[in-house]
Amino acid sequence: MTLSQEIRTAFRTCPFCEATCGLEITLKGNEILHINGDKEDVLSGGYCCPKGMALGELQNDSDRLRHPLIKRNGAFEEVSWEAAYAEVEKGLLPIIKRGNRDAVALFYGNPCAHTLAGQLYLQHIIRALKTRNLYSASTTDQMPRHVASGLMFGSPALISIPDLDRTQYLLILGANPLVSGGSMCTAPGFPKRLAAIRNRGGKIVVIDPAKTRTAKAADEHHPIRPGTDAFFLLGMMHVLFAEELVSLKHLSGHVQGIEEVRGIAAQFSPEQVSGACGIETAVIRRLAREFSAAPAAAAYGRIGTNTVCFGSLNAWLIELLNILTGNFGKAGGSLFPQPGHSVPFQGPGGKGWQTGRRRSRVKGYPEVMGEFPVATLTDEIETPGEGQIRALLTIAGNPVVSSPNANRLDKALASLDFMVSVDFYLNETTCHADVILPPPGPLNTGHSDIMLYNNAVRNVAHYSPPVLPPQPGHPDKWEIMLSLSLIISGQGAATDPAILDDFIIAQLVSSAVKKESSTVAGREASELLSILGKRKGPERMLDWMFRTGQYGDGFGKNPGGISLDRLENHPHGLDLGPLTPAIPEAISTPSGKIELAPLQLLADVQRLKTTLRIKQPDLVLIGRRNIRSCNSWLHNLPSLLKGDNRCTLLVHPQDAARLGLAQGAYARISTGTGFVEVPVEISEDMLPGVVSLPHGWGHNAPESRMAVAKINAGVNSNILTPGDVDPLSGNAVLNGITVKIVPAPGRE
Ligand SMILES: Nc1nc2c(c(=O)[nH]1)N[C@H]1C(S)=C(S)[C@@H](COP(=O)(O)OP(=O)(O)OC[C@H]3O[C@@H](n4cnc5c(=O)[nH]c(N)nc54)[C@H](O)[C@@H]3O)O[C@H]1N2
Ligand SMILES: Nc1nc2c(c(=O)[nH]1)N[C@H]1C(S)=C(S)[C@@H](COP(=O)(O)OP(=O)(O)OC[C@H]3O[C@@H](n4cnc5c(=O)[nH]c(N)nc54)[C@H](O)[C@@H]3O)O[C@H]1N2
Ligand code: SF4
Ligand SMILES: [Mo]
């Protein structure tokens, strides 16, 4: 038997969702035989879902692009990397040189948070572009949480995480972790962790318009009218103040603004909010009492509370619930992780944080974390004038499917002068590109989910080396990113990205040795660089981050500390223990205190108030996820597409009867922006008046090359979403959309 035919096992973190499960991949040489959960993984302990098991299908998918494509006379041709980069240079530079940097926009998508290149090298493209037109999937996702954190804690990056493994009371709002794997709460094996809460005598309560898998596994489920969580949460807060259940405990002395919050809560009694949110007053009262009485409680909200018209208010109120009951910064409550690559919190106080340093040209939306809402990308492409977008770079994103008012965006992309996509599929978005640059296969590169470990329920460190050798001549993801930055900054497509990479790390090291707070203060930069020198790219960057982080070996200062060598010897990861309280050290507001009542949020409560008495729409649309999907892009893998059509409209029997909709028959759903027709699935799980359609479908672009996905294309739910935003965060409203539904004319 030759070496290349030997059976071998590789351990690898799954790159698909935020759960970061450890996978055990069995190979014969370089042929993938099967994939299971890695039982010894420190965080996932063997848990794995059908998507993780299908990673080999993505690696081997013949539709996955292996070579760059250039569009010539309307048709795509495979070309060399040199030719593709030259084409990018030829297309982008004249637009940049015309003098307006804003004419080139960037959209980056969700997988950027799941790849090393996205986490570590994307920033160099952003810096080179110097455009105001920066967009990402964050404004269809979690931006409200960043806003709440920025305003309350002084940093948008400080995300508090429910301490699942120690809590005794978990209040889940608008999340379905048993299907999604958990989001902004990296906790692989969510089903087991939730079951453990109940087994130790704790309680789980779910607030969701749909009776989801998570709702069914909970002690209680309370269906809520979409978009009204802020009312429900204010009702709970009202009870906390009215019944003197507010108890800051260890947080007293570290907060300010409690009187303002009391004043706001006083205006929203359970009686006042119950009609709007659809949850009975007695339930609101009881839940407030239970939450405050629990030995350790955590309130956790996700997509269903973020992608609605009051997303930022919801995020703020959920943090407030944790804080006012003394559950914030406490074991079993809600905590800030400090994973393996982190540096210690710098102590209370800081510069604070703001939004709106500039405004979008057409609609005047404030910038948030340097970005404008993706919901206004189309406006900025369509509207003539100085600063109009004429070229677009997309990286790991499929905005034509993921972003609101999809038909209009689709048309707008077709009108651009030039478009480049870094993506390994020719799909609904990338079919508009003039050049497509495919990253290597998922198993051809190294992996570490440092960004997601910032949201993990335990502090961990993990690194997975490439499982398969690189495809000859194919640049790595970080090299593609650096080549693009070199092109954009005018240094030429032919410049070796390795030179820029050396420069970047040299700069990091030389500034760290001069910084007093660094573990390498006063060291020789050249010595550290030579120690790091056996690696390049993201691996060298990771080694640097781990070694200078709070658990790092400090380049010999702390023997036994973390380095990439050490992580390579621990293929199942390193467990660094449970989350620890970090109040006040983590708080970086100028006052050094948690700001309970930021002015922008108080002002937005007035906007909320104006909606208290308006008549609820007759029918609203929400979204859902499925265990075999990952947003829009895993539908080309046969094992994930098989089975019944999942792109259906869930409708409560009462609604089906009054609308004349039959099981399996097609319904036409329409809004002001378009309509789609899908089969109906009648379900008691829906709240009457609320229907549900998953996003991520509609794989019928004629030019796309996803043969399996096209078999069961489904419809794009974002054809229906108008592109309204939560004004504070710019996050798109994707749930609670007013719709009209009729039996689809002429369709069986
Ligand atoms: N109606 C509605 N819309 C939604 C949502 C919803 O709940 N309802 N959810 C929103 C959320 S939470 C999100 S995060 C967004 C996601 O929005 P997007 O990120 O725009 O969409 P994805 O479907 O994740 O598409 C990812 C793209 O990246 C490519 N890709 C995958 N891996 C890599 C890689 O390693 N490198 C590169 N270069 N490309 C790669 C895939 O081929 C695909 O084209 O969708 C949002 N849209
Ligand atoms: N299998 C799978 N896993 C995924 C993904 C996927 O597409 N498929 N996508 C990944 C991504 S990018 C993300 S961001 C995460 C998201 O992870 P989750 O936040 O867990 O996402 P969902 O499963 O969409 O759950 C959102 C829930 O909110 C409910 N909801 C809708 N409107 C409201 C409302 O107004 N109030 C309340 N209280 N609830 C409401 C919906 O019924 C739904 O059950 O999942 C990730 N994991
Ligand atoms: S739960 Fe998420 S991380 Fe785990 S195997 Fe499934 S897709 Fe991968
Ligand atoms: Mo997301």
PDB file of all heavy atoms in Angstrom, residues 144-160 319 336 345 349-354 369 585-590 593 595:
ATOM      1  N   PRO A 144     -28.267  45.236  15.375  1.00  0.00           N
ATOM      2  CA  PRO A 144     -28.858  45.807  16.589  1.00  0.00           C
ATOM      3  C   PRO A 144     -28.112  45.418  17.869  1.00  0.00           C
ATOM      4  O   PRO A 144     -28.035  46.214  18.816  1.00  0.00           O
ATOM      5  CB  PRO A 144     -30.278  45.232  16.596  1.00  0.00           C
ATOM      6  CG  PRO A 144     -30.584  44.985  15.159  1.00  0.00           C
ATOM      7  CD  PRO A 144     -29.275  44.509  14.576  1.00  0.00           C
ATOM      8  N   ARG A 145     -27.550  44.225  17.883  1.00  0.00           N
ATOM      9  CA  ARG A 145     -26.816  43.836  19.094  1.00  0.00           C
ATOM     10  C   ARG A 145     -25.557  44.675  19.241  1.00  0.00           C
ATOM     11  O   ARG A 145     -25.162  45.042  20.342  1.00  0.00           O
ATOM     12  CB  ARG A 145     -26.475  42.345  19.051  1.00  0.00           C
ATOM     13  CG  ARG A 145     -27.742  41.506  19.116  1.00  0.00           C
ATOM     14  CD  ARG A 145     -27.636  40.310  20.017  1.00  0.00           C
ATOM     15  NE  ARG A 145     -27.060  40.526  21.315  1.00  0.00           N
ATOM     16  CZ  ARG A 145     -26.652  39.540  22.105  1.00  0.00           C
ATOM     17  NH1 ARG A 145     -26.749  38.295  21.707  1.00  0.00           N
ATOM     18  NH2 ARG A 145     -26.147  39.781  23.293  1.00  0.00           N
ATOM     19  N   HIS A 146     -24.900  44.967  18.116  1.00  0.00           N
ATOM     20  CA  HIS A 146     -23.695  45.800  18.202  1.00  0.00           C
ATOM     21  C   HIS A 146     -24.054  47.204  18.696  1.00  0.00           C
ATOM     22  O   HIS A 146     -23.310  47.807  19.468  1.00  0.00           O
ATOM     23  CB  HIS A 146     -23.005  45.893  16.843  1.00  0.00           C
ATOM     24  CG  HIS A 146     -22.475  44.583  16.358  1.00  0.00           C
ATOM     25  ND1 HIS A 146     -21.642  43.788  17.120  1.00  0.00           N
ATOM     26  CD2 HIS A 146     -22.645  43.917  15.190  1.00  0.00           C
ATOM     27  CE1 HIS A 146     -21.335  42.695  16.432  1.00  0.00           C
ATOM     28  NE2 HIS A 146     -21.934  42.749  15.267  1.00  0.00           N
ATOM     29  N   VAL A 147     -25.201  47.702  18.224  1.00  0.00           N
ATOM     30  CA  VAL A 147     -25.606  49.042  18.640  1.00  0.00           C
ATOM     31  C   VAL A 147     -25.868  49.064  20.149  1.00  0.00           C
ATOM     32  O   VAL A 147     -25.374  49.934  20.869  1.00  0.00           O
ATOM     33  CB  VAL A 147     -26.859  49.500  17.848  1.00  0.00           C
ATOM     34  CG1 VAL A 147     -27.485  50.738  18.473  1.00  0.00           C
ATOM     35  CG2 VAL A 147     -26.474  49.775  16.399  1.00  0.00           C
ATOM     36  N   ALA A 148     -26.621  48.082  20.621  1.00  0.00           N
ATOM     37  CA  ALA A 148     -26.908  48.048  22.065  1.00  0.00           C
ATOM     38  C   ALA A 148     -25.602  47.945  22.856  1.00  0.00           C
ATOM     39  O   ALA A 148     -25.400  48.662  23.842  1.00  0.00           O
ATOM     40  CB  ALA A 148     -27.835  46.880  22.391  1.00  0.00           C
ATOM     41  N   SER A 149     -24.687  47.085  22.412  1.00  0.00           N
ATOM     42  CA  SER A 149     -23.426  46.917  23.135  1.00  0.00           C
ATOM     43  C   SER A 149     -22.579  48.176  23.080  1.00  0.00           C
ATOM     44  O   SER A 149     -21.990  48.592  24.083  1.00  0.00           O
ATOM     45  CB  SER A 149     -22.619  45.760  22.542  1.00  0.00           C
ATOM     46  OG  SER A 149     -23.268  44.540  22.804  1.00  0.00           O
ATOM     47  N   GLY A 150     -22.514  48.787  21.904  1.00  0.00           N
ATOM     48  CA  GLY A 150     -21.714  50.001  21.753  1.00  0.00           C
ATOM     49  C   GLY A 150     -22.208  51.089  22.692  1.00  0.00           C
ATOM     50  O   GLY A 150     -21.419  51.736  23.384  1.00  0.00           O
ATOM     51  N   LEU A 151     -23.521  51.274  22.722  1.00  0.00           N
ATOM     52  CA  LEU A 151     -24.074  52.358  23.525  1.00  0.00           C
ATOM     53  C   LEU A 151     -24.045  52.041  25.024  1.00  0.00           C
ATOM     54  O   LEU A 151     -23.831  52.913  25.846  1.00  0.00           O
ATOM     55  CB  LEU A 151     -25.514  52.665  23.090  1.00  0.00           C
ATOM     56  CG  LEU A 151     -25.674  53.183  21.648  1.00  0.00           C
ATOM     57  CD1 LEU A 151     -27.148  53.345  21.292  1.00  0.00           C
ATOM     58  CD2 LEU A 151     -24.923  54.500  21.449  1.00  0.00           C
ATOM     59  N   MET A 152     -24.258  50.778  25.376  1.00  0.00           N
ATOM     60  CA  MET A 152     -24.333  50.437  26.810  1.00  0.00           C
ATOM     61  C   MET A 152     -22.974  50.123  27.426  1.00  0.00           C
ATOM     62  O   MET A 152     -22.690  50.473  28.567  1.00  0.00           O
ATOM     63  CB  MET A 152     -25.232  49.213  27.011  1.00  0.00           C
ATOM     64  CG  MET A 152     -26.666  49.412  26.580  1.00  0.00           C
ATOM     65  SD  MET A 152     -27.613  47.892  26.768  1.00  0.00           S
ATOM     66  CE  MET A 152     -28.012  47.946  28.515  1.00  0.00           C
ATOM     67  N   PHE A 153     -22.128  49.418  26.654  1.00  0.00           N
ATOM     68  CA  PHE A 153     -20.858  48.939  27.225  1.00  0.00           C
ATOM     69  C   PHE A 153     -19.639  49.672  26.664  1.00  0.00           C
ATOM     70  O   PHE A 153     -18.520  49.441  27.095  1.00  0.00           O
ATOM     71  CB  PHE A 153     -20.685  47.434  26.971  1.00  0.00           C
ATOM     72  CG  PHE A 153     -21.900  46.602  27.289  1.00  0.00           C
ATOM     73  CD1 PHE A 153     -22.346  45.615  26.414  1.00  0.00           C
ATOM     74  CD2 PHE A 153     -22.603  46.809  28.464  1.00  0.00           C
ATOM     75  CE1 PHE A 153     -23.473  44.856  26.699  1.00  0.00           C
ATOM     76  CE2 PHE A 153     -23.741  46.057  28.755  1.00  0.00           C
ATOM     77  CZ  PHE A 153     -24.175  45.081  27.868  1.00  0.00           C
ATOM     78  N   GLY A 154     -19.872  50.493  25.629  1.00  0.00           N
ATOM     79  CA  GLY A 154     -18.759  51.266  25.072  1.00  0.00           C
ATOM     80  C   GLY A 154     -18.060  50.600  23.914  1.00  0.00           C
ATOM     81  O   GLY A 154     -17.196  51.189  23.290  1.00  0.00           O
ATOM     82  N   SER A 155     -18.413  49.347  23.628  1.00  0.00           N
ATOM     83  CA  SER A 155     -17.804  48.668  22.484  1.00  0.00           C
ATOM     84  C   SER A 155     -18.829  47.768  21.814  1.00  0.00           C
ATOM     85  O   SER A 155     -19.452  46.934  22.475  1.00  0.00           O
ATOM     86  CB  SER A 155     -16.615  47.823  22.933  1.00  0.00           C
ATOM     87  OG  SER A 155     -16.291  46.901  21.896  1.00  0.00           O
ATOM     88  N   PRO A 156     -18.982  47.929  20.483  1.00  0.00           N
ATOM     89  CA  PRO A 156     -19.960  47.098  19.781  1.00  0.00           C
ATOM     90  C   PRO A 156     -19.545  45.633  19.726  1.00  0.00           C
ATOM     91  O   PRO A 156     -20.352  44.765  19.409  1.00  0.00           O
ATOM     92  CB  PRO A 156     -19.982  47.710  18.369  1.00  0.00           C
ATOM     93  CG  PRO A 156     -18.656  48.363  18.208  1.00  0.00           C
ATOM     94  CD  PRO A 156     -18.265  48.838  19.575  1.00  0.00           C
ATOM     95  N   ALA A 157     -18.289  45.372  20.037  1.00  0.00           N
ATOM     96  CA  ALA A 157     -17.795  43.997  19.950  1.00  0.00           C
ATOM     97  C   ALA A 157     -18.084  43.194  21.213  1.00  0.00           C
ATOM     98  O   ALA A 157     -17.897  41.974  21.233  1.00  0.00           O
ATOM     99  CB  ALA A 157     -16.294  44.011  19.674  1.00  0.00           C
ATOM    100  N   LEU A 158     -18.515  43.861  22.266  1.00  0.00           N
ATOM    101  CA  LEU A 158     -18.761  43.147  23.533  1.00  0.00           C
ATOM    102  C   LEU A 158     -20.151  42.530  23.514  1.00  0.00           C
ATOM    103  O   LEU A 158     -21.140  43.223  23.742  1.00  0.00           O
ATOM    104  CB  LEU A 158     -18.689  44.127  24.698  1.00  0.00           C
ATOM    105  CG  LEU A 158     -17.318  44.472  25.239  1.00  0.00           C
ATOM    106  CD1 LEU A 158     -17.449  45.596  26.264  1.00  0.00           C
ATOM    107  CD2 LEU A 158     -16.657  43.252  25.897  1.00  0.00           C
ATOM    108  N   ILE A 159     -20.217  41.256  23.210  1.00  0.00           N
ATOM    109  CA  ILE A 159     -21.515  40.590  23.116  1.00  0.00           C
ATOM    110  C   ILE A 159     -21.676  39.674  24.325  1.00  0.00           C
ATOM    111  O   ILE A 159     -20.833  38.801  24.563  1.00  0.00           O
ATOM    112  CB  ILE A 159     -21.593  39.775  21.804  1.00  0.00           C
ATOM    113  CG1 ILE A 159     -21.425  40.699  20.584  1.00  0.00           C
ATOM    114  CG2 ILE A 159     -22.897  38.980  21.723  1.00  0.00           C
ATOM    115  CD1 ILE A 159     -22.522  41.732  20.368  1.00  0.00           C
ATOM    116  N   SER A 160     -22.739  39.874  25.071  1.00  0.00           N
ATOM    117  CA  SER A 160     -22.919  39.014  26.247  1.00  0.00           C
ATOM    118  C   SER A 160     -23.613  37.715  25.828  1.00  0.00           C
ATOM    119  O   SER A 160     -24.468  37.707  24.954  1.00  0.00           O
ATOM    120  CB  SER A 160     -23.716  39.740  27.330  1.00  0.00           C
ATOM    121  OG  SER A 160     -25.096  39.639  27.080  1.00  0.00           O
ATOM    122  N   GLU A 319     -30.668  43.031  27.295  1.00  0.00           N
ATOM    123  CA  GLU A 319     -29.523  43.262  28.200  1.00  0.00           C
ATOM    124  C   GLU A 319     -30.027  43.832  29.530  1.00  0.00           C
ATOM    125  O   GLU A 319     -29.562  43.437  30.609  1.00  0.00           O
ATOM    126  CB  GLU A 319     -28.511  44.250  27.591  1.00  0.00           C
ATOM    127  CG  GLU A 319     -27.875  43.844  26.276  1.00  0.00           C
ATOM    128  CD  GLU A 319     -26.862  42.707  26.366  1.00  0.00           C
ATOM    129  OE1 GLU A 319     -26.795  42.019  27.397  1.00  0.00           O
ATOM    130  OE2 GLU A 319     -26.132  42.508  25.370  1.00  0.00           O
ATOM    131  N   PHE A 336     -19.410  37.922  29.261  1.00  0.00           N
ATOM    132  CA  PHE A 336     -18.525  38.158  28.120  1.00  0.00           C
ATOM    133  C   PHE A 336     -17.439  37.083  28.077  1.00  0.00           C
ATOM    134  O   PHE A 336     -16.642  36.978  29.006  1.00  0.00           O
ATOM    135  CB  PHE A 336     -17.831  39.519  28.240  1.00  0.00           C
ATOM    136  CG  PHE A 336     -18.749  40.696  28.229  1.00  0.00           C
ATOM    137  CD1 PHE A 336     -18.672  41.661  29.222  1.00  0.00           C
ATOM    138  CD2 PHE A 336     -19.687  40.863  27.215  1.00  0.00           C
ATOM    139  CE1 PHE A 336     -19.515  42.774  29.217  1.00  0.00           C
ATOM    140  CE2 PHE A 336     -20.538  41.963  27.198  1.00  0.00           C
ATOM    141  CZ  PHE A 336     -20.450  42.924  28.205  1.00  0.00           C
ATOM    142  N   PHE A 345      -9.216  42.395  29.361  1.00  0.00           N
ATOM    143  CA  PHE A 345      -9.968  43.650  29.327  1.00  0.00           C
ATOM    144  C   PHE A 345      -9.111  44.743  29.961  1.00  0.00           C
ATOM    145  O   PHE A 345      -8.386  44.496  30.929  1.00  0.00           O
ATOM    146  CB  PHE A 345     -11.296  43.494  30.069  1.00  0.00           C
ATOM    147  CG  PHE A 345     -12.267  42.586  29.356  1.00  0.00           C
ATOM    148  CD1 PHE A 345     -12.742  41.425  29.966  1.00  0.00           C
ATOM    149  CD2 PHE A 345     -12.687  42.884  28.065  1.00  0.00           C
ATOM    150  CE1 PHE A 345     -13.624  40.584  29.301  1.00  0.00           C
ATOM    151  CE2 PHE A 345     -13.578  42.051  27.393  1.00  0.00           C
ATOM    152  CZ  PHE A 345     -14.047  40.889  28.009  1.00  0.00           C
ATOM    153  N   GLY A 349     -13.711  52.155  31.609  1.00  0.00           N
ATOM    154  CA  GLY A 349     -13.427  53.468  31.015  1.00  0.00           C
ATOM    155  C   GLY A 349     -12.874  53.306  29.624  1.00  0.00           C
ATOM    156  O   GLY A 349     -12.256  52.302  29.290  1.00  0.00           O
ATOM    157  N   GLY A 350     -13.147  54.283  28.791  1.00  0.00           N
ATOM    158  CA  GLY A 350     -12.664  54.243  27.418  1.00  0.00           C
ATOM    159  C   GLY A 350     -13.215  55.410  26.643  1.00  0.00           C
ATOM    160  O   GLY A 350     -13.783  56.340  27.230  1.00  0.00           O
ATOM    161  N   LYS A 351     -13.053  55.327  25.346  1.00  0.00           N
ATOM    162  CA  LYS A 351     -13.447  56.463  24.507  1.00  0.00           C
ATOM    163  C   LYS A 351     -14.941  56.463  24.191  1.00  0.00           C
ATOM    164  O   LYS A 351     -15.486  57.440  23.717  1.00  0.00           O
ATOM    165  CB  LYS A 351     -12.672  56.400  23.183  1.00  0.00           C
ATOM    166  CG  LYS A 351     -11.199  56.794  23.345  1.00  0.00           C
ATOM    167  CD  LYS A 351     -10.607  57.274  22.031  1.00  0.00           C
ATOM    168  CE  LYS A 351     -10.443  56.163  21.030  1.00  0.00           C
ATOM    169  NZ  LYS A 351      -9.208  55.442  20.994  1.00  0.00           N
ATOM    170  N   GLY A 352     -15.594  55.319  24.425  1.00  0.00           N
ATOM    171  CA  GLY A 352     -17.003  55.239  24.058  1.00  0.00           C
ATOM    172  C   GLY A 352     -17.155  54.930  22.583  1.00  0.00           C
ATOM    173  O   GLY A 352     -16.178  54.637  21.887  1.00  0.00           O
ATOM    174  N   TRP A 353     -18.383  55.023  22.117  1.00  0.00           N
ATOM    175  CA  TRP A 353     -18.666  54.570  20.756  1.00  0.00           C
ATOM    176  C   TRP A 353     -19.786  55.394  20.167  1.00  0.00           C
ATOM    177  O   TRP A 353     -20.666  55.853  20.881  1.00  0.00           O
ATOM    178  CB  TRP A 353     -19.078  53.101  20.820  1.00  0.00           C
ATOM    179  CG  TRP A 353     -19.347  52.493  19.491  1.00  0.00           C
ATOM    180  CD1 TRP A 353     -18.426  52.140  18.555  1.00  0.00           C
ATOM    181  CD2 TRP A 353     -20.621  52.152  18.951  1.00  0.00           C
ATOM    182  NE1 TRP A 353     -19.053  51.606  17.455  1.00  0.00           N
ATOM    183  CE2 TRP A 353     -20.403  51.599  17.664  1.00  0.00           C
ATOM    184  CE3 TRP A 353     -21.932  52.254  19.404  1.00  0.00           C
ATOM    185  CZ2 TRP A 353     -21.444  51.158  16.850  1.00  0.00           C
ATOM    186  CZ3 TRP A 353     -22.971  51.815  18.587  1.00  0.00           C
ATOM    187  CH2 TRP A 353     -22.713  51.270  17.323  1.00  0.00           C
ATOM    188  N   GLN A 354     -19.722  55.618  18.883  1.00  0.00           N
ATOM    189  CA  GLN A 354     -20.805  56.386  18.252  1.00  0.00           C
ATOM    190  C   GLN A 354     -21.130  55.848  16.866  1.00  0.00           C
ATOM    191  O   GLN A 354     -20.333  55.136  16.250  1.00  0.00           O
ATOM    192  CB  GLN A 354     -20.430  57.858  18.154  1.00  0.00           C
ATOM    193  CG  GLN A 354     -19.139  58.071  17.395  1.00  0.00           C
ATOM    194  CD  GLN A 354     -18.821  59.543  17.175  1.00  0.00           C
ATOM    195  OE1 GLN A 354     -19.606  60.407  17.502  1.00  0.00           O
ATOM    196  NE2 GLN A 354     -17.661  59.817  16.610  1.00  0.00           N
ATOM    197  N   MET A 369     -20.745  51.071  12.592  1.00  0.00           N
ATOM    198  CA  MET A 369     -19.523  50.260  12.479  1.00  0.00           C
ATOM    199  C   MET A 369     -18.914  50.394  11.078  1.00  0.00           C
ATOM    200  O   MET A 369     -18.434  49.422  10.493  1.00  0.00           O
ATOM    201  CB  MET A 369     -19.807  48.789  12.783  1.00  0.00           C
ATOM    202  CG  MET A 369     -20.216  48.562  14.229  1.00  0.00           C
ATOM    203  SD  MET A 369     -20.587  46.841  14.544  1.00  0.00           S
ATOM    204  CE  MET A 369     -18.951  46.216  14.962  1.00  0.00           C
ATOM    205  N   GLU A 585     -14.285  45.490  34.511  1.00  0.00           N
ATOM    206  CA  GLU A 585     -13.115  45.600  33.620  1.00  0.00           C
ATOM    207  C   GLU A 585     -13.468  45.718  32.142  1.00  0.00           C
ATOM    208  O   GLU A 585     -12.750  46.347  31.370  1.00  0.00           O
ATOM    209  CB  GLU A 585     -12.176  44.383  33.742  1.00  0.00           C
ATOM    210  CG  GLU A 585     -11.818  43.924  35.105  1.00  0.00           C
ATOM    211  CD  GLU A 585     -12.860  42.967  35.654  1.00  0.00           C
ATOM    212  OE1 GLU A 585     -12.758  41.749  35.445  1.00  0.00           O
ATOM    213  OE2 GLU A 585     -13.794  43.475  36.310  1.00  0.00           O
ATOM    214  N   ALA A 586     -14.551  45.032  31.741  1.00  0.00           N
ATOM    215  CA  ALA A 586     -14.860  44.980  30.315  1.00  0.00           C
ATOM    216  C   ALA A 586     -15.489  46.267  29.796  1.00  0.00           C
ATOM    217  O   ALA A 586     -15.514  46.507  28.592  1.00  0.00           O
ATOM    218  CB  ALA A 586     -15.809  43.815  30.041  1.00  0.00           C
ATOM    219  N   ILE A 587     -15.999  47.075  30.710  1.00  0.00           N
ATOM    220  CA  ILE A 587     -16.822  48.215  30.273  1.00  0.00           C
ATOM    221  C   ILE A 587     -15.955  49.365  29.777  1.00  0.00           C
ATOM    222  O   ILE A 587     -15.099  49.867  30.505  1.00  0.00           O
ATOM    223  CB  ILE A 587     -17.725  48.688  31.447  1.00  0.00           C
ATOM    224  CG1 ILE A 587     -18.577  47.515  31.944  1.00  0.00           C
ATOM    225  CG2 ILE A 587     -18.610  49.866  31.026  1.00  0.00           C
ATOM    226  CD1 ILE A 587     -19.415  46.831  30.880  1.00  0.00           C
ATOM    227  N   SER A 588     -16.174  49.775  28.534  1.00  0.00           N
ATOM    228  CA  SER A 588     -15.308  50.827  27.979  1.00  0.00           C
ATOM    229  C   SER A 588     -16.075  52.092  27.604  1.00  0.00           C
ATOM    230  O   SER A 588     -15.702  52.808  26.682  1.00  0.00           O
ATOM    231  CB  SER A 588     -14.511  50.284  26.796  1.00  0.00           C
ATOM    232  OG  SER A 588     -15.378  49.737  25.829  1.00  0.00           O
ATOM    233  N   THR A 589     -17.143  52.375  28.347  1.00  0.00           N
ATOM    234  CA  THR A 589     -17.819  53.666  28.181  1.00  0.00           C
ATOM    235  C   THR A 589     -16.953  54.743  28.836  1.00  0.00           C
ATOM    236  O   THR A 589     -16.182  54.438  29.764  1.00  0.00           O
ATOM    237  CB  THR A 589     -19.181  53.653  28.900  1.00  0.00           C
ATOM    238  OG1 THR A 589     -18.947  53.238  30.256  1.00  0.00           O
ATOM    239  CG2 THR A 589     -20.144  52.673  28.249  1.00  0.00           C
ATOM    240  N   PRO A 590     -17.084  56.000  28.407  1.00  0.00           N
ATOM    241  CA  PRO A 590     -16.292  57.064  29.033  1.00  0.00           C
ATOM    242  C   PRO A 590     -16.528  57.152  30.548  1.00  0.00           C
ATOM    243  O   PRO A 590     -15.612  57.459  31.309  1.00  0.00           O
ATOM    244  CB  PRO A 590     -16.780  58.337  28.326  1.00  0.00           C
ATOM    245  CG  PRO A 590     -17.272  57.857  26.996  1.00  0.00           C
ATOM    246  CD  PRO A 590     -17.849  56.492  27.241  1.00  0.00           C
ATOM    247  N   LYS A 593     -19.030  53.126  33.433  1.00  0.00           N
ATOM    248  CA  LYS A 593     -20.222  52.415  33.923  1.00  0.00           C
ATOM    249  C   LYS A 593     -21.039  51.878  32.760  1.00  0.00           C
ATOM    250  O   LYS A 593     -20.957  52.386  31.638  1.00  0.00           O
ATOM    251  CB  LYS A 593     -21.100  53.399  34.714  1.00  0.00           C
ATOM    252  CG  LYS A 593     -20.302  54.085  35.795  1.00  0.00           C
ATOM    253  CD  LYS A 593     -21.094  54.256  37.037  1.00  0.00           C
ATOM    254  CE  LYS A 593     -20.081  54.486  38.137  1.00  0.00           C
ATOM    255  NZ  LYS A 593     -20.412  55.324  39.169  1.00  0.00           N
ATOM    256  N   GLU A 595     -24.056  51.965  30.658  1.00  0.00           N
ATOM    257  CA  GLU A 595     -25.052  53.015  30.406  1.00  0.00           C
ATOM    258  C   GLU A 595     -26.403  52.338  30.184  1.00  0.00           C
ATOM    259  O   GLU A 595     -26.645  51.743  29.142  1.00  0.00           O
ATOM    260  CB  GLU A 595     -24.663  53.845  29.179  1.00  0.00           C
ATOM    261  CG  GLU A 595     -23.341  54.591  29.320  1.00  0.00           C
ATOM    262  CD  GLU A 595     -23.386  55.720  30.358  1.00  0.00           C
ATOM    263  OE1 GLU A 595     -24.497  56.061  30.830  1.00  0.00           O
ATOM    264  OE2 GLU A 595     -22.308  56.234  30.704  1.00  0.00           O
TER     265      GLU A 595
END
